[in-house]
């Protein structure tokens, strides 16, 4: 019984540790995600799946149309497809300005 | 002169004799022009409010025989004390203008055919229903409203409900290209998109920073508050690249290169931090991201700031000194700051400056922003009427693209398309829209694009609630009956909404009824009953949760906390990224700038002009204007062989504007300025000119459009 | 008797032109004409930039009154305001030409000389002239110089004040500019159409000559009527376009 208990407690500890590590990894990954609305061309070009040309197109789109609200918007850029968008979820997040907040 | 017939000759003779006998030099009196003109015969005087700028001057309107013959200020008004400006005076003329549109009209070939309002409404409803039937799943972006500067809140509320209840989400506000850069930053960092204090606090301040804020011309009646601040010993510093009327009111003007305000702000921050001239205790307790701020501003030494802003380094240190030493500071953000593509970061730096010096709270401190008076919480009422699953509205750039692609079926053109940069491209996009409904006053460039005109009343002709710069809400009663068959916005959009969404759209027979419906539904408005407003000539400041609550005037952060979630100031922003500065887009001083356009273009509002070019229809206003002028420094003009009075062209990458040169030391070398609000359809020469945004390139920041700071050229015509 | 004057702090003026618009509206001045003005000082940049509001100076020794042949214009001893009696004005323009301040103009609708008269309708209501009431910065002040309650005497005495005078003649303008003001060199030389004394010397005997001729004419006509009887008079009255 004692052995089982200690095994269990070690397993729990191990599990907890893994969970903690996993969580930390997840948090770290989130913190490393680029905000597509503030990223520079250089930063985007380094993202797995993107290159200099695509990065320029993304920034050009963003500058012309304003903050990107949904990744799907990028589908109109030549060279982007659903699969690539799927892949980009790992390294890119979207945080946009909330809107015009006009007070006229 | 009366005809000299026999009778008159006798009379003349008799009086001459009489006069001669008396020796009085009134010998020719019988040849006089007749009796004194009778004085103005005024039947009654009623209250009113000016419909132009956000000061919303309280007026006393004198009526004679059913016409308004005089508009005077109201000496009892707490905000204006009887002041006005010529724009308010011009309303009397506009209301009676022979150029007014008075009846609904439908396009008939190249001319117009008058129809009834009922017919006009039917037309609009049928076009919208057609659109919904054809695009059953994705029509939400296919009906668009370009909102005007609504003459009353009920118009805006009724329109919002009509479109959103019918399932359309593209309601574009005029503020998107106005000062939304500033509003966005203020709401992000302070929790409110508005001014943080009321203008009377200028009487309690020690330092007024008019940062790009040409108050004497944009809000002339508010010059009294600047004068009041000076009378109490406050110092007024004015930052602007050119001489304006405000220059006569300040103690010192700092003429920095336009578009570099952010650099100056960061230079000031750098000095404040390095010299410890900030509130360390407040920062420790209530500010996060201070270290990142300090790091971001480190490169901006006085010398670096001087290099970019073209100011002497001493000016930078003197400014930082004054700000650091001041116990009470009001920062007045000019609308001009939002007109550059780097405006958001500029205003962010300025907010940080007020923040770390702890000048947000208490009497005589805070931030005043242009158009900073709109009360909040409209959403609490409006959300009840939104169609299920209504997507977010698109910004103007996306809407323009949709229109150009033929994806918009109906456009309510309640506002000028010429307020957008590269407005000819916007015009071309509008020309692809299936059905354009013009709502306005005059046959102008917007009406020319429409298939249907349903004219609007002036503020003088309709009841409604309105707000002013101090977030005061007031009730305006119609002074005149609406001319012709003009239809108020609240009525038109109500009728539309009731046809398109009869199950959802509320019923109301007057603006007052809608107002009370709204007021009762929104807690922060509960105290602002119609009855209370009708007894309050200067309005009542929002918010007011109960009628017997005292009015909230003064610093908005009464509790000494910001309106952010925890009351603290978070300087970091993942949405905005780090605090940086860049040249305005298209700046001639940017790397790789085209050499063809070496001068910096600036535009702005001058004292007598108004957005939407309404004032262009006033002869009173035209008296003070001399057509399009371009202001240029002698050293710049000399390089082109240009002298004052020369006909010149301002050339940009998009086109040319004709103007008359005014050579003056009152502008920085290398910079040109021309006033914004001329229009080709102006009936009076003083205000006639090509629309300025035909030559302004289409640059935006993340929120708002850029109108200044890009490159241009001057050419002798 | 009140003695109305203006005291102007031109350093407060922002050149908004509301005083011009307000005066036009209150006094029904046609567009393109003005009873008042804002002059722009010489400095192009702050702190030299300066705006100077002005209007008829309601001079204590008004040259315009001397220039007027009919007595239409006069300084009213009841209130110190220089006025135009439009019933007497023949529109000769002498007063307009002679004013060193260019304060007068010919009203195109009425054909008479027009100028500031300190808004009599508003004063009758106990209110300030339109230009004073509407100014956002209260640059213009108006009141009775002889009434301590107006505070104007005290302001002027405290000084410094500037009065703008014509180069060679002081017409004793009754507008007092507080502190510095600019520009100051713009009033023009006074050039009355004739020396003042000469005007009177010519008019008086001329009046007698003309008057005498008229008397003879009147006598002649009266005699004729007596002799010819009523019929002729009646016949003369018919069919004539008046």
């Amino acid at each position: 019984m004692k052995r089982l208990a200690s095994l269990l407690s070690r397993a729990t500890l191990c599990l907890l540790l893994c969970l903690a590590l996993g969580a930390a990894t997840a948090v770290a990954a989130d913190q490393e995600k680029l905000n597509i609305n503030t990223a520079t061309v250089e930063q985007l070009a380094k993202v797995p799946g993107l290159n200099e040309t695509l990065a320029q197109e993304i920034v050009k789109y963003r500058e012309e149309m304003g903050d990107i609200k949904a990744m799907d918007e990028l589908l109109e850029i030549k060279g982007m497809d659903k699969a690539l968008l799927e892949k980009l979820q790992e390294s890119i997040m979207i945080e946009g300005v909330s809107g015009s907040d006009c007070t006229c | 002169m009366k005809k000299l017939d026999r009778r008159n000759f006798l009379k003349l003779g008799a009086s001459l004799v009489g006069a001669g006998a008396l020796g009085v030099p009134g010998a020719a009196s019988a040849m006089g022009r007749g009796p004194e003109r009778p004085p103005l015969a005024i039947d009654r005087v009623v209250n009113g409010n000016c419909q132009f700028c956000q000061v919303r001057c309280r007026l006393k309107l004198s009526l004679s025989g059913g016409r308004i013959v005089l508009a005077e200020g109201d000496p009892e008004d707490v905000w204006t004390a009887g002041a006005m400006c010529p724009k308010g005076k011009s309303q009397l003329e506009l209301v009676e203008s022979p150029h007014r549109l008075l009846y609904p009209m439908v396009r008939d070939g190249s001319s117009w055919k008058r129809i009834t309002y009922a017919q006009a409404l039917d037309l609009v409803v049928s076009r919208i229903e057609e659109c919904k039937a054809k695009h059953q799943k994705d029509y939400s972006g296919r009906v668009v409203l370009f909102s005007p500067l609504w003459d009353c809140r009920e118009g805006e509320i009724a329109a919002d409900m009509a479109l959103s209840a019918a399932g359309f989400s593209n309601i574009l506000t005029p503020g998107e290209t106005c000062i939304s850069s500033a509003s966005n930053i203020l709401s992000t960092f302070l929790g409110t998109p508005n001014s943080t204090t009321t203008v009377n606090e200028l009487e309690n301040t020690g330092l007024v920073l008019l940062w790009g804020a040409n108050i004497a011309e944009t809000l002339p009646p508010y010059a009294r508050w600047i004068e009041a601040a000076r009378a109490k010993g406050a110092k007024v510093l004015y930052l602007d690249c050119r001489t304006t009327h405000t220059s006569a009111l300040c103690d010192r003007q700092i003429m920095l290169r336009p578009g570099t305000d952010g650099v100056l702000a960061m230079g000031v921050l750098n000095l404040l931090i390095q010299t410890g001239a900030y509130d360390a205790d407040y920062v420790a307790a209530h500010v996060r991201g201070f270290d990142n701020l300090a790091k971001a501003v480190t490169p901006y030494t006085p010398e670096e700031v001087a290099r970019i802003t073209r100011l002497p380094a001493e000016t930078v240190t003197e400014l930082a000194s004054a700000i650091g030493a001041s116990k009470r500071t009001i920062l007045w953000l000019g609308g001009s700051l939002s007109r550059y593509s780097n405006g958001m970061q500029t205003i962010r730096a300025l907010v940080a400056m007020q923040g770390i010096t702890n000048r947000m709270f208490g009497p005589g401190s805070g931030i005043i922003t242009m158009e900073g008076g709109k009360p909040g919480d409209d959403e609490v009422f409006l959300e009840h009427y939104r169609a299920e699953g209504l997507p977010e509205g698109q910004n103007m750039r996306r809407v323009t693209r949709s229109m150009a692609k033929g994806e918009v079926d109906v456009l309510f053109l309640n506002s000028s398309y010429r307020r957008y940069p590269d407005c000819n491209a916007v015009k071309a996009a509008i020309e692809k829209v299936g059905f354009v409904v013009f709502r306005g006053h005059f046959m102008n460039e917007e009406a020319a694009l429409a298939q249907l005109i349903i004219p609007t009343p002036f503020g003088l002709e309709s009841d409604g609630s309105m707000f002013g710069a101090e977030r005061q809400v007031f009730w305006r009663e119609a002074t005149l009956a609406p001319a012709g068959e003009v239809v108020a916005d609240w009525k038109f959009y109500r009728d539309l909404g009731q046809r398109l969404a009869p199950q959802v759209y509320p019923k109301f027979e007057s603006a007052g009824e809608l107002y009370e419906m709204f007021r009762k539904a929104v807690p922060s408005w509960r105290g602002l009953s119609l009855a209370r407003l009708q007894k309050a000539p200067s309005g009542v400041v929002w918010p007011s949760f109960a009628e017997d609550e005292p009015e909230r005037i003064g610093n908005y952060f009464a509790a000494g906390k910001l309106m952010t979630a925890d009351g603290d100031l978070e300087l970091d922003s993942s949405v905005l990224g780090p605090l940086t500065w860049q040249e305005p887009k298209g700046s001639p001083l940017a790397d790789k700038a085209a050499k063809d356009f070496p001068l910096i273009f600036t535009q702005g509002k001058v004292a007598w002009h108004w957005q939407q070019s309404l004032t262009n229809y006033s002869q009173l206003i035209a008296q003070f204007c001399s057509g399009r002028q371009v202001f240029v420094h002698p050293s710049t003009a000399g390089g082109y062989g240009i002298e004052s009075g020369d006909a010149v062209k301002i050339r940009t990458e998009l086109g040319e504007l004709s103007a008359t040169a005014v050579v003056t030391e009152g502008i920085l070398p290398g910079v040109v300025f021309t006033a914004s609000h001329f229009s080709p359809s102006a009936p009076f020469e003083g205000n006639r000119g090509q629309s300025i945004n035909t030559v302004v390139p289409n640059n935006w920041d993340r929120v708002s459009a850029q109108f200044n700071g890009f490159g241009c050229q001057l050419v002798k015509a | 008797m009140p003695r109305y004057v203006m005291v102007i702090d031109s350093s407060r003026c922002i050149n908004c032109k509301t005083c011009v618009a307000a005066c036009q509206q209150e006094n029904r001045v046609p567009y393109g004409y003005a009873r008042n003005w804002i002059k722009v000082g010489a400095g192009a940049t702050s702190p030299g930039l300066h705006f100077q509001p002005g209007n008829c100076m309601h001079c204590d020794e008004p040259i315009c009154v001397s220039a007027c042949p009919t007595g239409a214009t006069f300084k009213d001893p009841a209130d110190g305001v220089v006025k135009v009696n439009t019933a007497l004005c023949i529109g000769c323009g002498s007063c307009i030409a002679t004013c060193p301040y260019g304060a007068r103009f010919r009203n195109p609708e009425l054909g008479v000389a027009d100028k500031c008269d300190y808004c009599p309708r508003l004063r009758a209501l106990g209110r300030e002239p339109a230009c004073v009431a509407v100014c956002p910065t209260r640059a213009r002040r108006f009141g009775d110089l002889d009434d301590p309650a107006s505070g104007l005497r005290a302001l002027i005495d405290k000084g410094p004040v500037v009065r703008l005078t014509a180069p060679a003649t002081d017409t004793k303008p009754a507008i007092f500019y507080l502190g510095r003001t600019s520009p100051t060199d713009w009033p023009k030389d006074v050039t009355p159409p004739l020396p003042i004394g000469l005007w009177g010397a010519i008019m008086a005997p001329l009046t007698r000559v003309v008057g005498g001729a008229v008397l003879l004419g009147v006598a002649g006509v009266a005699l004729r009527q007596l002799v010819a009887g009523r019929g002729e008079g009646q016949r003369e009255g018919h069919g004539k376009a008046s």
Side-chain angles (χ1 to χ4, degrees), chain B residues 580-615:
Chain B
T580 58
W581 182 82
Q582 272 126 23
E583 288 281 342
K585 292 184 185 176
S587 164
L589 283 102
D591 296 334
K592 303 177 215 155
K595 297 288 173 258
D596 309 341
F597 304 109
L599 305 177
I600 302 173
F601 182 102
T602 62
Q603 63 167 297
K605 181 157 163 293
V606 297
W608 312 289
H609 282 168
W610 182 240
Q611 286 84 300
Q612 316 296 312
S613 338
L614 272 186
T615 47

Side-chain angles (χ1 to χ4, degrees), chain B residues 3 7 50 168-170 201 203 212 214 242 280 316 338 346 356 437 443 475 479 522 553 562 628 639 662:
Chain B
K3 197 176 151 208
R7 183 172 300 138
C50 183
F168 302 106
S169 54
N170 282 345
E201 285 297 330
E203 284 189 312
N214 181 6
R242 67 183 187 100
V316 182
S338 292
T346 300
I356 67 168
V437 183
M443 187 64 80
W475 181 256
T479 305
V522 184
I553 297 189
L562 301 176
R628 182 176 292 290
V662 176

Side-chain angles (χ1 to χ4, degrees), chain A residues 17-50:
Chain A
L17 203 60
C18 285
L19 278 170
L21 272 172
T25 313
V27 166
D30 244 20
Q31 286 169 345
E32 284 163 14
K33 279 193 190 178
L34 266 184
N35 181 353
I36 197 165
N37 286 316
T38 54
T40 61
V41 170
E42 294 73 34
Q43 287 171 322
L44 284 170
K46 291 198 195 102
V47 166
L50 295 178

Side-chain angles (χ1 to χ4, degrees), chain B residues 416-489:
Chain B
S416 177
Y417 74 84
R418 291 167 291 138
R419 66 196 337 275
Y420 299 108
D422 192 5
C423 62
N424 281 338
V426 178
K427 179 183 176 195
I430 293 174
E431 284 166 343
K432 299 268 176 54
V433 170
F435 192 69
V436 178
V437 183
F438 175 67
R439 295 270 299 152
H441 305 96
F442 299 110
M443 187 64 80
N444 56 17
E445 285 72 16
E446 281 67 41
L449 296 184
Q451 280 74 48
L452 175 65
I453 292 174
I454 305 179
T456 48
F458 282 96
L460 292 168
E461 298 167 317
S462 74
D463 289 344
S465 69
M466 218 2 182
F467 60 87
E470 311 314 315
R471 254 181 299 216
Q472 77 274 36
V473 180
F474 56 86
W475 181 256
R476 184 192 66 219
E477 292 211 353
T479 305
L480 298 169
E485 290 170 18
V486 299
V487 181
D489 283 315

Side-chain angles (χ1 to χ4, degrees), chain B residues 134-213:
Chain B
K134 190 162 167 211
H135 302 273
Q136 293 195 13
K137 289 278 159 49
D138 59 353
Y139 54 71
S140 69
R142 302 195 71 100
V143 172
V144 173
L145 166 61
F146 282 13
S147 309
L149 294 162
W150 301 99
D151 76 276
C152 67
R153 294 180 55 255
E154 286 68 33
E156 180 173 20
I157 293 165
D160 193 297
M161 290 194 293
L163 265 80
S164 62
F168 302 106
S169 54
N170 282 345
I171 298 173
L172 291 148
T173 58
E176 185 182 6
T177 52
C178 180
I179 42 71
S180 59
S181 302
S183 318
N184 216 282
I185 294 296
L186 292 174
S187 69
T188 300
F189 292 97
L190 305 183
T192 174
N194 297 47
S195 301
T196 72
T197 189
T198 46
V199 74
N200 58 309
E201 285 297 330
L202 259 75
E203 284 189 312
N204 295 325
T205 194
L207 178 64
V208 184
L209 297 169
L210 299 176
W211 206 301

Side-chain angles (χ1 to χ4, degrees), chain B residues 77-80 195-205 208 222 224-229 232 328 330 332 362-365 368 469-472 541 551-556:
Chain B
D77 182 48
V78 303
W79 306 114
T80 62
S195 301
T196 72
T197 189
T198 46
V199 74
N200 58 309
E201 285 297 330
L202 259 75
E203 284 189 312
N204 295 325
T205 194
V208 184
Y222 268 11
R224 68 181 285 258
W225 292 107
I226 300 173
E227 192 53 47
K232 291 277 180 79
R328 293 181 176 186
I330 286 182
W332 203 322
S365 282
I368 298 180
E470 311 314 315
R471 254 181 299 216
Q472 77 274 36
V541 174
E551 201 182 355
R552 295 167 193 234
I553 297 189
N555 197 294
Y556 192 56

Side-chain angles (χ1 to χ4, degrees), chain B residues 124-447:
Chain B
V124 177
V125 170
S126 69
R127 295 301 287 242
I128 294 177
E129 285 177 342
E130 235 172 75
C131 157
K132 288 178 88 162
K134 190 162 167 211
H135 302 273
Q136 293 195 13
K137 289 278 159 49
D138 59 353
Y139 54 71
S140 69
R142 302 195 71 100
V143 172
V144 173
L145 166 61
F146 282 13
S147 309
L149 294 162
W150 301 99
D151 76 276
C152 67
R153 294 180 55 255
E154 286 68 33
E156 180 173 20
I157 293 165
D160 193 297
M161 290 194 293
L163 265 80
S164 62
F168 302 106
S169 54
N170 282 345
I171 298 173
L172 291 148
T173 58
E176 185 182 6
T177 52
C178 180
I179 42 71
S180 59
S181 302
S183 318
N184 216 282
I185 294 296
L186 292 174
S187 69
T188 300
F189 292 97
L190 305 183
T192 174
N194 297 47
S195 301
T196 72
T197 189
T198 46
V199 74
N200 58 309
E201 285 297 330
L202 259 75
E203 284 189 312
N204 295 325
T205 194
L207 178 64
V208 184
L209 297 169
L210 299 176
W211 206 301
N214 181 6
I215 299 306
E217 296 194 56
T218 51
L219 304 172
Y222 268 11
R224 68 181 285 258
W225 292 107
I226 300 173
E227 192 53 47
R230 291 181 78 193
K232 291 277 180 79
K235 284 280 165 281
V236 177
L237 297 183
Y238 176 43
L239 296 100
D240 199 321
C241 68
R242 67 183 187 100
T243 300
T244 67
H245 296 178
T246 304
S247 308
L249 268 189
C250 66
D251 292 301
R252 179 179 180 180
Q253 180 167 353
I254 293 173
M255 290 174 76
L256 70 165
R257 172 160 77 88
T260 65
D261 303 85
V263 170
L264 182 57
M266 290 203 276
V268 167
L269 277 164
N270 191 31
L271 283 167
L272 292 175
I273 292 171
Q274 295 203 356
T275 58
Y278 63 95
D279 190 329
D281 292 334
Y282 176 75
V283 167
H286 297 290
V287 179
R288 290 188 296 281
F290 182 81
D291 292 340
N292 282 340
L293 175 75
K295 208 165 73 182
V297 301
T298 303
Y300 294 100
T301 60
E303 293 69 35
E304 179 65 357
V305 173
R307 182 183 73 78
I308 299 173
T309 62
R310 297 189 189 159
L311 291 170
E314 307 84 71
T315 303
V316 182
T317 45
E318 281 157 11
L319 178 62
S321 243
I323 292 169
S326 169
K327 300 273 183 295
R328 293 181 176 186
T329 308
I330 286 182
L331 168 67
W332 203 322
L333 298 172
S336 56
L337 298 176
S338 292
R339 307 271 183 269
Y340 297 88
S341 59
N342 56 22
M344 290 175 79
Q345 296 278 40
T346 300
I347 295 160
R348 181 185 183 182
L350 289 169
V351 167
M353 187 184 81
Q354 286 293 82
I356 67 168
T357 53
N358 193 9
R359 296 288 168 260
M360 293 290 196
F361 311 106
S365 282
I367 297 181
I368 298 180
T369 182
M370 299 298 286
E371 306 297 322
K374 189 173 189 183
D377 289 352
D378 282 3
E379 201 45 38
V380 172
F381 179 77
L382 295 170
E383 67 190 6
H384 296 295
Y385 302 97
R386 295 214 188 296
E388 191 81 31
L390 191 71
E392 216 185 306
Q394 304 275 327
N395 66 21
M396 178 58 189
R397 287 171 276 179
R398 291 157 194 254
V399 168
T400 305
R401 196 166 69 143
S402 296
M403 290 194 295
K405 284 181 179 177
E407 292 168 359
V408 174
D409 296 315
V410 180
L411 169 65
F412 293 99
L413 192 52
N414 259 59
S415 176
S416 177
Y417 74 84
R418 291 167 291 138
R419 66 196 337 275
Y420 299 108
D422 192 5
C423 62
N424 281 338
V426 178
K427 179 183 176 195
I430 293 174
E431 284 166 343
K432 299 268 176 54
V433 170
F435 192 69
V436 178
V437 183
F438 175 67
R439 295 270 299 152
H441 305 96
F442 299 110
M443 187 64 80
N444 56 17
E445 285 72 16
E446 281 67 41

Side-chain angles (χ1 to χ4, degrees), chain A residues 12-95:
Chain A
T12 314
L13 196 62
C14 207
L15 186 63
L16 281 170
L17 203 60
C18 285
L19 278 170
L21 272 172
T25 313
V27 166
D30 244 20
Q31 286 169 345
E32 284 163 14
K33 279 193 190 178
L34 266 184
N35 181 353
I36 197 165
N37 286 316
T38 54
T40 61
V41 170
E42 294 73 34
Q43 287 171 322
L44 284 170
K46 291 198 195 102
V47 166
L50 295 178
N51 56 32
E52 178 86 17
T53 311
L54 285 172
Q56 279 171 356
E57 287 298 303
I58 289 172
V59 170
K60 179 164 176 275
Y61 173 86
R62 189 183 74 199
E63 298 272 289
E64 283 177 7
M65 290 293 122
D67 275 10
I68 292 160
K69 302 286 168 91
M71 293 300 280
D72 278 359
E73 292 181 43
L74 300 177
L75 283 172
E76 66 172 72
I77 293 173
K78 194 165 137 202
M80 299 290 279
D81 56 37
K82 286 240 177 229
L84 182 50
L85 283 188
E86 188 77 34
K87 187 174 161 73
L88 291 175
Q89 304 280 26
E90 293 162 24
S91 11
I92 289 187
M93 60 102 159
I94 300 176
E95 229 183 328

